[in-house]
Amino acid sequence: MEFENTIGLETHVQLKTQTKMFCSCRLKTGCEPNVNVCPVCLGYPGALPVMNKEAVKLTVMSGLMLGCEINRHATFDRKNYFYPDMAKDYQISENGNPLCLGGGVTIETPNGPKTIRINHIHLEEDAAKINHYATTSGVDFNRGGTPLMEIVSEPDMASADEAIAYLTALKEMLVYAGVSDCNLEEGNMRSDVNVSIRPVGETKLGTKVEIKNMNSFRGIHAALEYEARRQRECMAHSIPIIQETRRWDGEALETASMRSKENAHDYRYMPEPDLPPIVTSEETIEKYRSELPELPDARRARLEKDFGLSDYDADIITSSRAMAEYFDAVVATGADAKLAANWMMGDLAKNLNEEGLDISKSPVDAQRLGEMIQLIMKDTISGKIAKKVFKEMWTNTDSPEKIV
């Protein structure tokens, strides 16, 4: 019998705020353990949470980017369980009334564009971090209480490649909008992976297996391929597939059972009594919508249409928001768009890479590069001379005209 995969992702994204979700403790990586803490994020009796408005704003903006319907009356709940990395023994989350509903992410597949539907986006607080040593373990609560947005997809992905395409598109949009750094190495973005198989043509979903806390695209791809293969082997040998949580062993390159899967009632959700509902007006939603940047897909289409850039050039220019804005600033000086793209992907990129600089720290700003390109356009200097001029511009702040 031939089977097909059904894959859904629950993607956790740490929001780019200055402080934690329900207290004023700062968010900063690289600190000594347990220095950015207070009675609220340590769960002291009587300490009351206060909502982070910026976290709510960033979640609503994410929903708008992804085509979600914004819930005008979202509420928080307590998700009860015992984990050693949750000081209160419950997590403040959104269960019944999340901030964002519906939406989707369009990806490219060999068969053309495909939209991966989003079920909802909810806001919650992150757990602390457990560090394991030779004979002991320690809990660092600096991360505990970080605003965490969970984006829950529908099981619309049929392969590991589609899952990675979805995550890549998601990451690109969130970074562009300044919602999150989405740094997988620092845990800014991680996913719980849900995978099942079913006979081709069947509409009912198979038994779901969840793989927890995957924090690399390579690991997610490998885990999905392994788990889909394992489930097919189970079916071939008449071994029942049970609903469970598994972990990915990156060294053995296989999944291993952790526990039988919890159901929602196991978490004993209850309304959060210490926080009011999030009431979002139409006026506020439109204000947040006006603050959204031009997203990568739209920007690529504009660069190809308005400036005649190739797919390749447009992809490179829009690979980061800083680079795309630099390009727009160069063209705004009157510089030819194709020349601007060539210089950015050529000499500018070479020098930045050699010195390990981001384009936002470039010694040659967009205005001066645009002025130099105009000198080429006017035949004041040749392309060969321009390389010498650019080299001089890199080490001093003189105008291109003065250097010439």
Side-chain angles (χ1 to χ4, degrees):
M1 184 180 294
E2 187 177 355
F3 292 91
E4 64 182 5
N5 304 328
T6 53
I7 299 168
L9 300 178
E10 299 170 15
T11 304
H12 301 79
V13 178
Q14 288 184 345
L15 297 174
K16 199 173 181 179
T17 58
Q18 296 296 313
T19 56
K20 295 185 180 182
M21 185 64 222
F22 298 117
C23 65
S24 59
C25 291
R26 65 175 181 162
L27 290 173
K28 187 176 181 181
T29 58
C31 297
E32 289 295 313
N34 298 313
V35 294
N36 301 325
V37 294
C38 73
V40 175
C41 57
L42 287 178
Y44 285 15
L48 296 177
V50 177
M51 204 182 308
N52 187 326
K53 183 179 180 181
E54 183 67 13
V56 174
K57 174 183 177 180
L58 293 177
T59 304
V60 172
M61 290 178 70
S62 300
L64 292 173
M65 283 192 297
L66 297 171
C68 302
E69 177 188 350
I70 307 304
N71 188 350
R72 305 301 197 274
H73 193 274
T75 57
F76 282 103
D77 302 276
R78 290 185 180 183
K79 182 180 180 182
N80 292 272
Y81 51 77
F82 174 73
Y83 278 1
D85 51 4
M86 292 298 296
K88 301 187 295 288
D89 280 353
Y90 64 84
Q91 179 189 40
I92 300 177
S93 182
E94 292 176 331
N95 180 41
N97 294 293
L99 259 174
C100 308
L101 302 167
V105 175
T106 300
I107 62 171
E108 291 297 329
T109 73
N111 298 320
K114 178 178 180 178
T115 298
I116 309 301
R117 295 171 299 155
I118 290 172
N119 182 281
H120 72 271
I121 304 174
H122 67 259
L123 185 58
E124 59 190 21
E125 58 180 337
D126 205 353
K129 183 180 180 182
I130 301 178
N131 296 309
H132 299 289
Y133 307 104
T135 58
T136 60
S137 294
V139 184
D140 180 3
F141 283 97
N142 286 341
R143 190 183 76 175
T146 300
L148 193 68
M149 179 174 66
E150 183 169 344
I151 304 171
V152 181
S153 83
E154 297 288 1
D156 289 347
M157 289 157 273
S159 68
D161 288 343
E162 288 187 6
I164 298 306
Y166 164 82
L167 287 171
T168 301
L170 200 59
K171 177 183 177 181
E172 189 177 45
M173 285 190 282
L174 296 176
V175 171
Y176 245 75
V179 169
S180 173
D181 290 329
C182 290
N183 188 319
L184 278 75
E185 290 76 17
E186 294 181 2
N188 295 155
M189 184 179 187
R190 53 192 190 270
S191 287
D192 295 340
V193 176
N194 298 300
V195 56
S196 64
I197 62 172
R198 63 185 176 188
V200 173
E202 176 66 67
T203 57
K204 183 181 178 181
L205 294 173
T207 302
K208 177 179 68 175
V209 170
E210 182 179 37
I211 309 169
K212 298 287 285 187
N213 287 328
M214 302 292 297
N215 63 354
S216 79
F217 287 0
R218 179 181 294 179
I220 290 171
H221 192 279
L224 282 171
E225 292 208 320
Y226 172 86
E227 183 58 27
R229 187 167 61 249
R230 184 191 72 85
Q231 291 185 25
R232 282 172 168 78
E233 290 175 358
C234 286
M235 297 298 289
H237 294 87
S238 300
I239 300 172
I241 298 170
I242 61 171
Q243 185 172 346
E244 62 179 338
T245 298
R246 300 176 72 88
R247 65 177 179 83
W248 172 246
D249 187 329
E251 293 184 2
L253 298 179
E254 62 185 21
T255 60
S257 181
M258 291 174 62
R259 58 183 179 268
S260 62
K261 176 61 183 170
E262 304 94 338
N263 292 312
H265 63 263
D266 293 325
Y267 290 129
R268 294 181 291 115
Y269 281 104
M270 61 171 282
E272 170 55 63
D274 295 330
L275 288 168
I278 303 173
V279 179
T280 311
S281 67
E282 190 64 37
E283 181 182 5
T284 299
I285 291 172
E286 291 308 312
K287 179 179 181 297
Y288 292 165
R289 194 191 305 275
S290 70
E291 296 178 24
L292 289 174
E294 184 181 24
L295 293 178
D297 284 347
R299 202 162 213 153
R300 278 191 284 271
R302 175 173 63 83
L303 296 186
E304 292 174 22
K305 179 183 176 183
D306 294 354
F307 300 119
L309 296 189
S310 67
D311 289 349
Y312 175 80
D313 288 353
D315 278 343
I316 297 296
I317 294 299
T318 59
S319 60
S320 75
R321 182 176 174 181
M323 180 171 279
E325 290 178 346
Y326 187 102
F327 173 83
D328 282 343
V330 173
V331 174
T333 68
D336 177 77
K338 183 60 180 174
L339 281 176
N342 289 343
W343 276 93
M344 285 178 62
M345 294 185 293
D347 291 57
L348 179 64
K350 176 176 175 291
N351 284 29
L352 290 173
N353 289 337
E354 286 177 351
E355 300 194 18
L357 295 174
D358 183 81
I359 195 166
S360 61
K361 303 288 176 56
S362 172
V364 178
D365 60 30
Q367 179 65 35
R368 290 204 300 153
L369 181 60
E371 291 172 0
M372 190 199 76
I373 290 173
Q374 289 183 72
L375 293 177
I376 300 173
M377 293 164 62
K378 295 173 184 175
D379 289 330
T380 303
I381 58 175
S382 65
K384 184 176 180 180
I385 295 298
K387 288 185 175 292
K388 295 182 180 179
V389 174
F390 183 84
K391 185 176 180 180
E392 189 71 22
M393 289 166 61
W394 196 261
T395 57
N396 69 55
T397 58
D398 289 341
S399 71
E401 190 170 13
K402 183 176 180 181
I403 292 172
V404 169

